[in-house]
Amino acid sequence: MLNAQDNELMCRVGPGTPMGEVLRRFWQPVLISEDLPHPDCDPKEVRLLGEDFVAFRDSDGEIGFLEALCPHRRAPLFYGRNEEHGLRCIYHGWKFDAAGACVDMPSEPAQYEFSKKVRPIGFPTREWGGIIWAYIGPQDRVPELPELEYCRVPAEYRNLVKYNQECNFVQATEGDIDSSHIGFLHTRLDQKTAPASKEMLWRVNDQAPRWIIQPTDYGIMLAAQRNAEEDTYYWRINQWLMPYYTMIAMDLEQKRGHGHIWVPVDDEHTDVWCVIWSPVEPLTQAERDGILGGPNPHISSLDPSTGKLRATKSNHFLQDRHVQRTQTFTGILGVREQDTAVVEGMGAIADRTKEHLGTSDSAIIAMRRYLVNSAKAFVEGREPQEPYDGGLYRVRAWSYELSRNIDFMESDKVRELMGTMVV
């Protein structure tokens, strides 16, 4: 259980809030590169940490990330003309370059040079790993980009999809670090008799994993132990990286990576980035297609025109009670729809004072403590250190079958495996 004060401290992300200011010390993923597909394309509206912005790609391909409203009369720049190396407001023609400087002011006499008196309204941007990043924090403290593995592999080795979820970023994130729920929420009823893999059978047979929680310089390593064979344990080691990155253990071959980014739009909305990648080879078309289609899609109801799910609280996430009785634990199609149903169902910001947490919630408790302590440290004048060392993010999640005689925290074998996590 979290007290009401700490819950507020952890969840509020707007300007001037402690958590909001901690988050503003990091680069923020704001768009997939294809959202701005070519020079002088249509601009995009972006809402981030309770503030509104507009993004555009200029004539040279440079990314501009500007305050949403023109500093003249506060007209929305989203409606502007993207032309000749700048975004021009449709109200009086003021034009801003990718850095946010006013470079033309046709509504004012040239001799007054009034444009030079208007402060820039832009923010630093980077384009890397198929992602457009923006930094909206103090300009004298620009951090390093996180050196996530999927940003460093070739484009054909990764796939990015994102959608918007109607709840706070913390409870959205919690699903990814809750290893016990996968034995329920995401299961088929025939998985014990016809499992797709031995790992799936282990997860279904042992629904109460034991945890080892290891704080790190980047966040938390989350190791869940399950019974495998008579003399072995099945270990799934997930990662939570400050402030909102998760990496999920895939199969035992370690040829694929899977994770999410949970970017706070505001206190009550989250942009969910779904990432799959391979460290060794291009993804197949079937893998890409399986994110949004197939018999067990990761996302089954994405509406590209809105960036939201068609399955919502108002239609009960298209739950099919017959399917729930005969085929799947939930009757809801789509892994993300299943998770979204439960986290949005908690309310926009979950009331954590009414929870009853058990040992299976150890990872969630650790993440909440990390976030709350980071916000409290900021209030006391201590800046977060994670954003200023991009190399901290060169880790991956992994899974392994180990002898029951091995001490996970002491074994040379485990230390050797830990070395493979650093990429």
Side-chain angles (χ1 to χ4, degrees), residues 283-294:
L283 299 175
T284 66
Q285 191 58 49
E287 286 176 300
R288 296 177 186 276
D289 293 343
I291 298 299
L292 300 177

Side-chain angles (χ1 to χ4, degrees), residues 118-374:
V118 177
R119 69 168 181 83
I121 58 169
F123 300 89
T125 63
R126 302 285 188 273
E127 189 168 10
W128 183 57
I131 298 172
I132 294 170
W133 306 75
Y135 175 68
I136 62 172
Q139 296 306 295
D140 61 344
R141 298 189 64 87
V142 178
E144 297 182 6
L145 285 167
E147 296 178 18
L148 299 153
E149 184 175 38
Y150 47 81
C151 290
R152 295 183 286 111
V153 300
E156 61 270 23
Y157 287 42
R158 66 171 170 263
N159 191 79
L160 301 167
V161 179
K162 74 182 181 77
Y163 73 96
N164 185 263
Q165 192 165 279
E166 296 185 359
C167 68
N168 183 261
F169 86 104
V170 180
Q171 70 205 59
T173 306
E174 286 173 350
D176 255 15
I177 59 173
D178 174 7
S179 193
S180 63
H181 86 280
I182 63 174
F184 303 94
L185 187 68
H186 303 313
T187 59
R188 295 184 58 85
L189 300 183
D190 63 356
Q191 282 182 348
K192 284 196 175 185
T193 57
S197 64
K198 61 182 180 181
E199 300 104 289
M200 180 179 291
L201 182 62
W202 295 337
R203 292 197 295 267
V204 174
N205 282 341
D206 188 349
Q207 296 176 322
R210 283 72 61 195
W211 284 102
I212 291 178
I213 309 297
Q214 183 65 47
T216 69
D217 291 339
Y218 54 80
I220 306 172
M221 184 199 74
L222 311 158
Q225 178 207 70
R226 287 178 170 84
N227 296 323
E229 306 305 326
E230 284 190 8
D231 58 347
T232 61
Y233 289 125
Y234 171 47
W235 289 92
R236 296 180 79 241
I237 289 77
N238 293 346
Q239 304 283 1
W240 174 75
L241 303 96
M242 185 71 174
Y244 43 51
Y245 301 97
T246 51
M247 295 179 181
I248 311 303
M250 298 290 275
D251 59 31
L252 298 175
E253 292 186 351
Q254 317 293 342
K255 290 184 178 180
R256 294 294 182 269
H258 169 52
H260 296 93
I261 315 173
W262 310 88
V263 181
V265 171
D266 52 34
D267 292 346
E268 300 184 351
H269 297 84
T270 302
D271 276 342
V272 184
W273 294 64
C274 307
V275 190
I276 60 170
W277 75 97
S278 170
V280 296
E281 60 190 2
L283 299 175
T284 66
Q285 191 58 49
E287 286 176 300
R288 296 177 186 276
D289 293 343
I291 298 299
L292 300 177
N296 187 31
H298 193 64
I299 310 172
S300 71
S301 64
L302 178 63
D303 184 346
S305 66
T306 65
K308 295 178 179 292
L309 302 180
R310 294 187 178 95
T312 64
K313 286 173 65 176
S314 63
N315 58 29
H316 298 110
F317 290 89
L318 304 176
Q319 185 182 41
D320 186 323
R321 292 290 190 178
H322 176 70
V323 171
Q324 185 182 34
R325 292 186 182 96
T326 60
Q327 298 179 39
T328 71
F329 197 79
T330 64
I332 297 171
L333 183 61
V335 176
R336 295 277 16 104
E337 281 79 2
Q338 293 158 7
D339 276 312
T340 302
V342 294
V343 297
E344 285 191 3
M346 299 172 184
I349 298 178
D351 183 356
R352 293 178 171 86
T353 66
K354 297 180 179 180
E355 294 177 326
H356 295 77
L357 303 182
T359 58
S360 65
D361 302 303
S362 299
I364 288 171
I365 293 168
M367 185 195 72
R368 292 176 184 177
R369 184 180 297 120
Y370 198 115
L371 287 171
V372 169
N373 288 344
S374 295

Side-chain angles (χ1 to χ4, degrees), residues 26-147:
F26 294 80
W27 282 98
Q28 312 292 327
V30 294
L31 293 169
I32 297 173
S33 289
E34 287 80 2
D35 291 333
L36 297 176
H38 56 77
D40 295 329
C41 61
D42 295 343
K44 290 285 187 180
E45 292 178 296
V46 175
R47 185 162 173 78
L48 175 66
L49 302 179
E51 299 185 79
D52 294 313
F53 305 90
V54 61
F56 70 100
R57 191 184 294 275
D58 75 6
S59 304
D60 292 329
E62 295 296 316
I63 302 297
F65 194 75
L66 313 182
E67 296 175 9
L69 303 181
C70 179
H72 178 208
R73 297 269 297 280
R74 312 300 286 166
L77 287 171
F78 169 73
Y79 300 115
R81 297 173 58 88
N82 189 5
E83 59 179 21
E84 299 175 345
H85 304 91
L87 189 63
R88 189 181 295 276
C89 181
I90 61 171
Y91 201 9
H92 296 92
W94 287 24
K95 183 177 178 180
F96 301 88
D97 66 13
C102 186
V103 294
D104 191 25
M105 193 178 284
S107 62
E108 291 292 325
Q111 64 267 30
Y112 295 146
E113 296 186 329
F114 187 39
S115 63
K116 296 181 179 179
K117 300 176 183 178
V118 177
R119 69 168 181 83
I121 58 169
F123 300 89
T125 63
R126 302 285 188 273
E127 189 168 10
W128 183 57
I131 298 172
I132 294 170
W133 306 75
Y135 175 68
I136 62 172
Q139 296 306 295
D140 61 344
R141 298 189 64 87
V142 178
E144 297 182 6
L145 285 167
E147 296 178 18

Side-chain angles (χ1 to χ4, degrees), residues 363-418:
I364 288 171
I365 293 168
M367 185 195 72
R368 292 176 184 177
R369 184 180 297 120
Y370 198 115
L371 287 171
V372 169
N373 288 344
S374 295
K376 289 181 176 179
F378 182 83
V379 171
E380 295 169 357
R382 288 176 281 146
E383 293 278 340
Q385 298 304 304
E386 301 91 344
Y388 304 104
D389 186 352
L392 294 176
Y393 294 77
R394 285 178 167 260
V395 298
R396 64 164 65 124
W398 57 284
S399 57
Y400 213 79
E401 182 183 5
L402 293 171
S403 167
R404 296 194 183 195
N405 295 324
I406 287 178
D407 185 325
F408 187 83
M409 295 306 294
E410 298 296 333
S411 165
D412 290 338
K413 175 63 176 177
V414 173
R415 278 192 283 271
E416 176 187 338
L417 291 169
M418 292 290 193

